[in-house]
Amino acid sequence: MTDERLQSLLRDAIDRADSELKRDLWPAMRTRLDARTIRVSPFDWALIAAVIAWGILFPNAALALLYHL
Amino acid sequence: MLQSLPPVIATFAPSAPDGRLSRFAASDLEAFESLFREYQGSVFTWIVKIVRDRGAAEDLTIETFWRIYRARARFDPRRSFAAWARRIATNVAISHMRHATWRRLSSRRDEPAESRLYLDSDLGVREAIIRAFGTLPPKLRAAATLALIEQEPYDEIASALDISIGAVKSRVFRAVHLLRKKLERMGITP
């Protein structure tokens, strides 16, 4: 089987894609942007985890922390 | 609706000097929306040619623009937005192919598969080719799909894959070689 024969069979088996976009995707994009806008960053999660860990390790310090908030 | 989109959505020609690009790089959401509306069609077209699944291509178009938006600070407004978007779209599409099963958007897409069974005496060979092609490594499959099936120019494929034209030819050659070996293993030597 030559390369040309194989390529011809491939083109015969698989049509070119119907590639025209038929709807506006901006509303979906906007939804994704809005969802990500209110996302808590990994740094904030790390900070929250550190405060919780601190509270567990040093429960007496929780009162001092609350006092400073 | 798409009728409201500008008529230039299907081009990947280099962007003209455009204040939008600078505003986009400076996080202007209106500039991003304008670029999205202009290029969503061409990005979708490129992706669907690679993944051959319209539903997935819509999701991947959104993913592509999401990555574009996240990387806006690194974008150089003097460069072509279209070429940059296409490179990101290609990476997103190939990444998707690593996890997705090969969809059979094969020939005669208007007919259900069952009717093809009776209409096409070469069905066995065709099915085997589709199946074997779907098992090729994603990078080879993407290059072969764009070059052999979609018949895109090699320089455009090279730009999208961020490799040389020689490397594209090498990938296509390896894809055909691998496809032939797989078919021979399946007992098909037409």
Side-chain angles (χ1 to χ4, degrees), chain B residues 86-101:
Chain B
R86 185 162 52 177
R87 268 197 290 280
I88 294 174
T90 306
N91 288 336
V92 167
I94 289 175
S95 175
H96 168 81
M97 288 163 80
R98 292 199 177 98
H99 308 290
T101 53

Side-chain angles (χ1 to χ4, degrees), chain A residues 1-3 5-7 9-26 28-30 32-33 36, chain B residues 2 29 33 36-37 40 44-45 48 52 54 58 62-63 65-66 69 106-107 109 126 129 148-151 176 180 183 190:
Chain A
M1 183 178 3
T2 63
D3 281 2
R5 168 80 174 136
L6 186 55
Q7 290 174 22
L9 285 171
L10 187 62
R11 273 193 289 273
D12 186 45
I14 305 172
D15 256 0
R16 297 174 78 165
D18 173 18
S19 59
E20 189 190 343
L21 179 61
K22 296 189 169 73
R23 69 187 185 97
D24 183 10
L25 299 177
W26 176 250
M29 184 76 238
R30 187 65 214 231
R32 178 143 186 196
L33 286 170
R36 296 288 175 156
Chain B
L2 210 58
L29 191 58
E33 178 179 352
F36 181 94
R37 290 189 183 281
Q40 61 175 334
F44 172 85
T45 294
V48 83
R52 317 196 72 72
R54 294 182 59 83
E58 287 189 359
I62 303 284
E63 174 64 24
F65 277 97
W66 169 244
Y69 187 71
S106 57
S107 61
R109 58 180 164 261
R126 175 174 288 144
I129 289 172
L148 304 179
I149 298 167
E150 299 298 337
Q151 301 185 2
V176 171
R180 185 193 292 113
L183 288 173

Side-chain angles (χ1 to χ4, degrees), chain B residues 90-159:
Chain B
T90 306
N91 288 336
V92 167
I94 289 175
S95 175
H96 168 81
M97 288 163 80
R98 292 199 177 98
H99 308 290
T101 53
W102 173 246
R103 304 292 180 118
R104 290 184 0 171
L105 285 185
S106 57
S107 61
R108 301 177 188 180
R109 58 180 164 261
D110 295 330
E111 298 171 13
E114 294 76 18
S115 66
R116 269 186 260 153
L117 185 66
Y118 303 103
L119 292 172
D120 192 345
S121 57
D122 291 332
L123 184 78
V125 174
R126 175 174 288 144
E127 290 292 308
I129 289 172
I130 292 169
R131 205 173 308 136
F133 192 70
T135 62
L136 294 179
K139 283 184 177 177
L140 299 188
R141 201 188 332 149
T145 303
L146 291 168
L148 304 179
I149 298 167
E150 299 298 337
Q151 301 185 2
E152 293 290 337
Y154 275 77
D155 59 337
E156 288 193 17
I157 299 170
S159 169

Side-chain angles (χ1 to χ4, degrees), chain B residues 35-98:
Chain B
L35 290 166
F36 181 94
R37 290 189 183 281
E38 181 173 339
Y39 290 103
Q40 61 175 334
S42 50
V43 167
F44 172 85
T45 294
W46 189 255
I47 290 174
V48 83
K49 283 178 178 179
I50 299 173
V51 302
R52 317 196 72 72
D53 178 337
R54 294 182 59 83
E58 287 189 359
D59 292 342
L60 296 174
T61 301
I62 303 284
E63 174 64 24
T64 297
F65 277 97
W66 169 244
R67 291 190 191 187
I68 286 170
Y69 187 71
R70 276 194 316 183
R72 62 193 178 278
R74 294 198 299 275
F75 177 66
D76 179 354
R78 292 167 298 182
R79 308 285 299 266
S80 162
F81 179 85
W84 186 55
R86 185 162 52 177
R87 268 197 290 280
I88 294 174
T90 306
N91 288 336
V92 167
I94 289 175
S95 175
H96 168 81
M97 288 163 80
R98 292 199 177 98

